[in-house]
């Protein structure tokens, strides 16, 4: 299942990136717009619907090329994807606040019914905040890229914590805490110091810095606490078929980066 999902993920450039490139090329060259007989009747129609920013590419493609029946189906799929993502984020928000903050520090003896009520309240508050914040993102050229860059301020620390915790026996809680505390300041500092650097490159540099901090803090620590996860030898063992399929994913991904980066 994991490998199958990995191969499906390799199709994302075709599904997400390629249509945007096509929209850019067609919208840029009016002559290319009239290659097919059914694409458009006049160049003026195309000029009237010209794309002014990246986020307009997808709705422009739907409105211009997709027939009425399929247009509704595509919109329904888009709405379903948005609702699914929203549901997962709201669930995570309410769970983190309810279990890690409310139950852990505010009301430790809270009943399950009380926790459920608190989770629902937090979900409503989060949605209300989102309603007021969403219009502020309307001026962005690429909302999706903004979301990825914003989450990239914290993901390097998460990656380092999980990597050290799972694959290095000498990793300590202090090292995880240091990575969690420093990930946002380092990421924001990189964004301020080198704003022209692609955010993926900044994330990689911050990850390396946090990895070094985690190793240093772990080596300096003296505590020898029992790990919450038992790292037995066979914990990460995989079958030959899985290994071959995983190597295939890595190979295809490497080729995509080498060709299109």
């Amino acid at each position: 299942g994991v490998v199958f999902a990995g191969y499906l993920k390799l199709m994302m450039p075709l599904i997400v990136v390629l249509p945007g490139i096509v929209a850019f090329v067609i919208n840029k060259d009016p002559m290319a717009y009239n290659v097919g007989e059914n694409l458009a009747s006049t160049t003026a129609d195309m000029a009237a619907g010209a794309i002014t920013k990246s986020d307009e590419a997808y709705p422009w493609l739907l409105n211009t090329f997709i027939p009425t029946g399929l247009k509704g189906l595509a919109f329904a799929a888009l709405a379903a994807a948005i609702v699914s993502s929203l549901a997962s984020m709201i669930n995570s928000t309410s769970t983190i606040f309810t279990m890690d903050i409310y139950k852990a520090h505010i009301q430790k003896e809270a009943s399950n019914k009380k926790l459920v009520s608190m989770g629902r309240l937090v979900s409503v508050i989060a949605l209300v905040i989102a309603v007021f914040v969403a219009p502020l993102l309307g001026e962005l050229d690429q909302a999706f890229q903004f979301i990825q860059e914003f989450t990239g301020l914290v993901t390097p620390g998460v990656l380092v914590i999980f990597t050290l915790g799972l694959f290095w026996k000498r990793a300590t809680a202090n090292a995880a805490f240091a990575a969690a505390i420093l990930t946002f300041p380092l990421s924001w500092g990189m964004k301020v110091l080198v704003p022209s650097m692609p955010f993926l490159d900044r994330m990689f540099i911050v990850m390396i810095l946090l990895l070094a901090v985690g190793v240093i803090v772990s080596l300096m620590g003296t505590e020898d606490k029992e790990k919450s996860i038992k790292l037995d030898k066979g914990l990460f063992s995989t079958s030959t078929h899985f290994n071959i399929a995983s190597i295939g994913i890595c190979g295809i991904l490497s080729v995509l980066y080498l060709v299109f980066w």
Side-chain angles (χ1 to χ4, degrees):
V2 173
V3 172
F4 180 66
Y7 277 100
L8 289 179
K9 200 72 173 178
L10 292 175
M11 298 175 63
M12 290 301 292
L14 294 176
I15 299 173
V16 177
V17 179
L18 191 59
I21 297 176
V22 171
F24 172 78
V25 173
I26 295 178
N27 198 263
K28 183 179 180 181
D29 185 4
M31 297 303 296
Y33 187 79
N34 295 309
V35 172
E37 294 181 359
N38 298 322
L39 294 185
S41 57
T42 62
T43 306
D45 294 336
M46 179 258 172
I51 299 173
T52 58
K53 60 180 183 178
S54 302
D55 275 353
E56 296 175 356
Y58 182 74
W60 181 81
L61 286 172
L62 285 183
N63 186 57
T64 306
F65 298 106
I66 306 300
T68 303
L70 292 179
K71 188 182 299 183
L73 182 62
F75 182 78
L78 178 63
I82 294 174
V83 171
S84 175
S85 299
L86 181 63
S88 64
M89 286 185 285
I90 291 298
N91 177 70
S92 300
T93 302
S94 62
T95 302
I96 290 173
F97 179 85
T98 303
M99 303 305 296
D100 295 341
I101 299 177
Y102 183 77
K103 185 176 182 180
H105 303 287
I106 299 176
Q107 191 172 347
K108 297 182 179 180
E109 303 299 327
S111 63
N112 289 336
K113 184 177 181 179
K114 181 67 175 179
L115 293 177
V116 171
S117 300
M118 181 56 61
R120 291 173 177 172
L121 177 61
V122 171
S123 299
V124 173
I125 294 174
L127 284 173
V128 171
I129 295 174
V131 167
F132 287 99
V133 172
L136 302 178
L137 307 180
E139 300 300 322
L140 295 175
D141 181 60
Q142 298 186 59
F144 182 77
Q145 181 168 321
F146 173 80
I147 295 172
Q148 297 300 310
E149 184 173 359
F150 185 79
T151 56
L153 298 177
V154 295
T155 47
V158 176
L159 175 61
V160 169
I161 291 171
F162 274 89
T163 302
L164 290 180
L166 287 173
F167 299 105
W168 194 36
K169 292 183 178 181
R170 297 189 61 180
T172 63
N174 288 336
F177 183 74
I181 291 297
L182 293 176
T183 180
F184 188 84
L186 286 178
S187 298
W188 188 258
M190 288 288 297
K191 180 177 177 61
V192 173
L193 294 176
V194 282
S196 60
M197 179 182 293
F199 72 95
L200 288 175
D201 293 344
R202 295 201 305 264
M203 290 170 60
F204 178 76
I205 295 174
V206 172
M207 186 269 293
I208 296 297
L209 294 175
L210 291 175
L211 191 62
V213 170
V215 171
I216 294 173
V217 173
S218 296
L219 294 177
M220 293 175 60
T222 56
E223 70 265 26
D224 187 19
K225 296 181 180 179
E226 185 179 356
K227 299 286 183 181
S228 59
I229 300 177
K230 299 293 183 180
L231 299 178
D232 299 324
K233 264 190 175 181
L235 181 62
F236 301 105
S237 61
T238 54
S239 65
T240 303
H241 296 88
F242 179 87
N243 295 336
I244 295 175
S246 300
I247 293 173
I249 292 176
C250 295
I252 296 174
L253 191 62
S254 299
V255 171
L256 290 176
Y257 269 95
L258 288 173
V259 173
F260 296 106
W261 186 254

